[in-house]
Amino acid sequence: MDDQPLTDREHVDPHDRVEPGADRRPDDTDAAARPGRRVPKATIVVLGVALVVLGLDQLTKSIAVAAIDPMRPVEIIGDFITLRLVRNSGAAFSMATGYTWVLSIIALVVVLVIIRYSSRLRSWWWVAGLALVLGGAIGNLTDRIFRAPQPLQGHVVDFVSVGWWPVFNVADSAVVCGAILLVVLSALGFDYDGTRTGWAARREQRDPAGTEGGAHA
């Protein structure tokens, strides 16, 4: 797996460095030190993908609520894959039922942490994984805040049933896929800041030209 490092700064030639005490033009000022600095590219992408996931999640839930009778599941592939409308007061896949307000607070903390630290990402794969988790977390959090029976205790709309697996929705799928991606990246040694450790570092040492070419293409 070749992960392209993500950076918001262009390469600076050593000959262009400004010596201490020398006059600096306004354009040479470090953007990170400026008040009102621009939003990092990684944060913009994370928020953009998360909004797409959120929109898709809420759209499909609205369609499910309007079109599916809770007492009459819609068969897609026999009774193996069905559309089955369920109101879930627990976490993903109907776990932790009865702790809706706790799950709401946890989801809110997760959302804030991901947004806060997204600017540190230098890996497109980590951006994708965290964006999926963020979008899914916001999707289900939106249900818990705005849906019945009351704010912060609303029931999440689930409607996809596959075999023996608990009924789920788009937000659940996004969280699970994003989490799996992050676990795989960590296991292989592709770190969030674009560095390589473990297997990824060894692979880069064995084939530095190929890895570099894939990473910076």
Side-chain angles (χ1 to χ4, degrees), residues 2-196:
D2 290 331
D3 187 16
Q4 180 178 356
L6 187 160
T7 178
D8 295 316
R9 298 181 181 178
E10 298 295 334
H11 173 70
V12 178
D13 193 295
H15 299 291
D16 294 335
R17 293 176 179 171
V18 179
E19 296 298 328
D23 293 335
R24 299 183 66 184
R25 296 173 298 175
D27 291 342
D28 292 330
T29 304
D30 187 352
R34 298 175 185 171
R37 61 183 181 275
R38 63 190 178 89
V39 179
K41 182 189 300 182
T43 301
I44 294 175
V45 176
V46 167
L47 293 177
V49 174
L51 286 176
V52 172
V53 173
L54 172 62
L56 182 61
D57 175 66
Q58 292 299 308
L59 175 62
T60 53
K61 286 174 178 175
S62 297
I63 294 174
V65 170
I68 302 176
D69 185 339
M71 304 303 295
R72 295 182 179 179
V74 178
E75 295 185 353
I76 304 299
I77 302 180
D79 60 356
F80 180 73
I81 299 180
T82 62
L83 300 180
R84 185 187 308 271
L85 186 61
V86 175
R87 303 281 184 163
N88 175 19
S89 62
F93 309 119
S94 301
M95 295 184 293
T97 301
Y99 292 90
T100 308
W101 67 274
V102 176
L103 297 171
S104 299
I105 295 175
I106 293 174
L108 181 58
V109 171
V110 169
V111 168
L112 295 177
V113 169
I114 292 177
I115 294 175
R116 172 66 179 82
Y117 289 97
S118 62
S119 61
R120 301 184 181 184
L121 299 177
R122 295 295 181 272
S123 161
W124 284 116
W125 285 111
W126 274 84
V127 166
L130 285 177
L132 289 173
V133 173
L134 179 62
I138 296 177
N140 284 338
L141 180 61
T142 299
D143 282 16
R144 295 190 179 101
I145 292 176
F146 297 107
R147 292 189 186 274
Q150 60 186 11
L152 288 180
Q153 295 191 32
H155 293 177
V156 175
V157 173
D158 292 330
F159 59 92
V160 181
S161 177
V162 179
W164 53 267
W165 200 257
V167 184
F168 60 96
N169 56 42
V170 172
D172 295 335
S173 300
V175 170
V176 171
C177 291
I180 292 175
L181 176 57
L182 297 180
V183 169
V184 171
L185 291 173
S186 298
L188 294 179
F190 292 95
D191 296 332
Y192 73 93
D193 59 358
T195 59
R196 309 285 199 272

